Amino acid sequence: MDIATLIASNGELSSADIDIARDALAGIGAIPGQAVWIDEGIAADLPFGRTDRAGARAALEGLLPGVDIVAQSASRRAKKLLIADMDSTMITIECIDELADYAGIKPQIAEVTERAMRGELDFEAALDARVALLKGLDEAAIDRCRAERVRLIPGARALIQTMKAYGARTVLVSGGFTVFADRVAESIGFDRALSNHLGIGGGVLNGTVSRPIVGAGTKRDTLIAEREALGLLREETLAVGDGANDIPMIEEAGLGVAYHAKPKTAAAAAARIEHGDLTTLLYAQGYRRADWVE
């Protein structure tokens, strides 16, 4: 049987809310089962049959204010591999936009970033164009940006540390830069990090990014390679991101999650987290708060 996990970002999920969800499933011809609390008042599993997961999700999403829905198979829900994006997924910022702020050109670059993340521009070309505009920026701006602006998304460390404690492998794959991603991966506890190399010489950015560029194809290929190396089934994998360049890995994963994502990415994902933080993905995997490692 499949399950719909209801996760309340405000910690106010009630039995009445679950009854509303059960009625909504019954209304589309599904057969809802008995709900089981993961953490009372916060997250619960509602089993269902005789409808597909997409139909169940469509019936439940937006039904309860502040509640995220993850519809999936009850088997293999605790994933053994996580591939994650970094900017606006594991950290609160887009690093290239913040570097641009130190160069005094944030609005110009942020507009291109937004369009690229929406899938309106070719990612590689947009990255080259933005990095070229940073030519001459003092290398010290990287350290300032890390210290002043890089902040973890709430729940990032709990997600990674808990999954690792229960035997999962975790990989950060970012279209951003190693000068940020390597530190972020280390601070959160990822097993591995892949990202792009900024060209730096003479103490300043030289306006280039090394090849090959880590983009959408790299993210998907990394998921496949890691899955095969571990001998995992597709159903045992999880991918999470927010931008258009995350879509291929999200579609390849057993559970592909759009996290507070751009519309095109949200439409492509099997699950959409629009209200909660990254601990929502722990509840989706069946982990109670008492199971978390931080």
Side-chain angles (χ1 to χ4, degrees):
M1 183 173 280
D2 289 334
I3 52 172
T5 305
L6 287 61
I7 307 120
S9 61
N10 57 10
E12 296 181 0
L13 186 67
S14 68
S15 296
D17 292 329
I18 295 173
D19 288 340
I20 291 171
R22 183 182 291 109
D23 290 344
L25 289 176
I28 61 168
I31 303 177
Q34 182 64 42
V36 178
W37 286 109
I38 301 174
D39 273 336
E40 189 166 354
I42 302 174
D45 288 334
L46 180 58
F48 66 90
R50 205 200 288 176
T51 192
D52 61 21
R53 296 165 202 164
R57 187 183 73 179
L60 296 175
E61 279 187 337
L63 184 66
L64 301 170
V67 175
D68 289 307
I69 305 295
V70 179
Q72 62 183 320
S73 171
S75 67
R76 298 189 175 92
R77 67 184 300 192
K79 307 306 182 186
K80 297 301 182 184
L81 173 65
L82 168 66
I83 308 294
D85 176 45
M86 179 178 71
D87 294 272
S88 299
T89 302
M90 289 289 145
I91 60 175
T92 60
I93 63 169
E94 295 286 335
C95 291
I96 194 168
D97 293 355
E98 300 310 313
L99 282 180
D101 200 22
Y102 290 103
I105 54 172
K106 182 174 180 178
Q108 182 178 350
I109 283 187
E111 180 184 3
V112 178
T113 300
E114 177 69 14
R115 292 184 63 197
M117 292 302 97
R118 286 181 174 273
E120 298 171 2
L121 300 174
D122 175 76
F123 176 79
E124 186 168 321
L127 183 62
D128 280 335
R130 286 175 290 163
V131 171
L133 292 173
L134 295 177
K135 184 176 181 179
L137 179 64
D138 194 313
E139 182 182 8
I142 294 170
D143 290 333
R144 284 189 62 195
C145 188
R146 280 194 301 241
E148 296 173 359
R149 306 197 181 184
V150 174
R151 299 292 181 267
L152 300 184
I153 294 281
R157 189 172 284 114
L159 173 64
I160 300 310
Q161 293 294 334
T162 301
M163 290 187 67
K164 287 179 64 176
Y166 287 89
R169 179 166 171 81
T170 60
V171 182
L172 185 71
V173 187
S174 172
F177 309 117
T178 56
V179 290
F180 295 102
D182 288 355
R183 297 279 189 93
V184 169
E186 182 180 6
S187 69
I188 297 175
F190 279 91
D191 294 301
R192 180 188 178 197
L194 290 80
S195 56
N196 292 303
H197 293 266
L198 272 175
I200 300 173
V204 299
L205 276 63
N206 65 20
T208 66
V209 58
S210 299
R211 264 43 184 184
I213 283 181
V214 175
T218 307
K219 294 186 177 195
R220 178 180 181 274
D221 291 347
T222 299
L223 189 154
I224 293 171
E226 291 278 353
R227 181 184 71 204
E228 292 179 348
L230 294 168
L232 299 177
L233 299 173
R234 181 178 181 181
E235 291 77 13
E236 296 176 289
T237 65
L238 167 64
V240 58
D242 72 300
N245 63 328
D246 298 314
I247 290 174
M249 74 172 184
I250 284 172
E251 292 179 332
E252 183 63 34
L255 179 61
V257 179
Y259 182 77
H260 295 266
K262 307 304 181 189
K264 188 174 181 179
T265 311
R272 295 188 280 265
I273 305 306
E274 298 179 344
H275 305 291
D277 62 25
L278 287 170
T279 60
T280 304
L281 297 184
L282 289 173
Y283 284 122
Q285 295 179 79
Y287 292 110
R288 299 169 301 147
R289 178 67 181 81
D291 300 326
W292 299 357
V293 177
E294 297 184 69

